[in-house]
Amino acid sequence: MTPRPLVFITVGTDHHPFHRLMDWIEPWLAGRPELDCVVQHGSSRPPAGARCHELLPHERMEELLRGADAVVCHGGPGTITAARDAGRLPIVVPRRAALGEHVDDHQVRFTRLMAEQRLIVRPESAEELAARLDLALAEPARFAVREDGADRTAATAARFTTLVEELMARPRRRRPH
């Protein structure tokens, strides 16, 4: 028996719900019963059509990242780095403060820079997420990170450092008190 393609989705451990990602993924899953989908949903509602877990142990997350045919995650640097270290080009949906998904828009800014450097795929809508997932499953080589082992970790750390430095160098807008 051929194993079913695995899609792994994680929202990280932030306490803010990320229902938007669950809303985007659920209709896509409904039309694909041939898939195995594991979702770490945190405080978000669990989507139908997936094996859902509020939280997963770190070792299990790493195992799922390595075994997944496609990875979808929030815009947290740690999760993005872990996906890339596992050899996966993550499909990243950043949390947005205006939607109550986080305290600020640092994920939006960070993932914009990462996408510009082609280190992640960053869909802007449910339709675009579905299209990227379909492409990742149809053409897995396009969503593979080709660096190996220690080189991959060092390269990811160097890219992350550069991106943070660029982000920190940008002028900040002051918030009214």
Side-chain angles (χ1 to χ4, degrees):
M1 177 183 272
T2 305
R4 298 181 335 162
L6 174 63
V7 175
F8 178 51
I9 301 166
T10 178
V11 302
T13 58
D14 188 87
H15 69 277
H16 294 89
F18 198 10
H19 301 307
R20 177 172 53 107
L21 181 55
M22 302 304 112
D23 292 344
W24 285 11
I25 202 66
E26 196 169 66
W28 181 81
L29 281 172
R32 291 160 182 82
E34 74 281 3
L35 296 179
D36 182 14
C37 182
V38 176
V39 177
Q40 180 271 310
H41 60 83
S43 62
S44 306
R45 71 166 185 81
R51 291 187 288 142
C52 299
H53 306 271
E54 185 175 337
L55 295 173
L56 290 165
H58 183 73
E59 297 79 24
R60 179 69 178 134
M61 294 268 297
E62 287 180 335
E63 179 183 311
L64 287 163
L65 288 169
R66 283 190 307 272
D69 295 287
V71 172
V72 177
C73 64
H74 68 120
T79 304
I80 291 169
T81 299
R84 289 186 57 80
D85 283 349
R88 302 295 173 254
L89 178 66
I91 301 169
V92 180
V93 178
R95 292 171 174 265
R96 296 186 182 275
L99 301 175
E101 298 167 348
H102 218 308
V103 296
D104 61 24
D105 280 336
H106 72 275
Q107 286 193 3
V108 173
R109 293 186 303 272
F110 176 69
T111 59
R112 187 177 300 122
L113 290 170
M114 294 287 285
E116 286 170 3
Q117 295 188 21
R118 300 189 197 301
L119 299 172
I120 64 168
V121 173
R122 186 175 178 256
E124 298 288 337
S125 67
E127 296 76 20
E128 194 177 341
L129 173 61
R132 298 300 177 259
L133 276 166
D134 288 341
L135 183 60
L137 295 172
E139 299 180 38
R142 290 180 63 172
F143 287 78
V145 175
R146 289 170 179 69
E147 302 157 339
D148 12 289
D151 291 342
R152 184 175 354 152
T153 301
T156 301
R159 286 186 190 117
F160 176 70
T161 300
T162 300
L163 290 170
V164 169
E165 287 170 353
E166 289 173 8
L167 190 58
M168 297 306 290
R170 290 184 177 184
R172 294 184 67 182
R173 288 181 280 187
R174 297 202 180 258
R175 293 184 181 173
H177 295 302

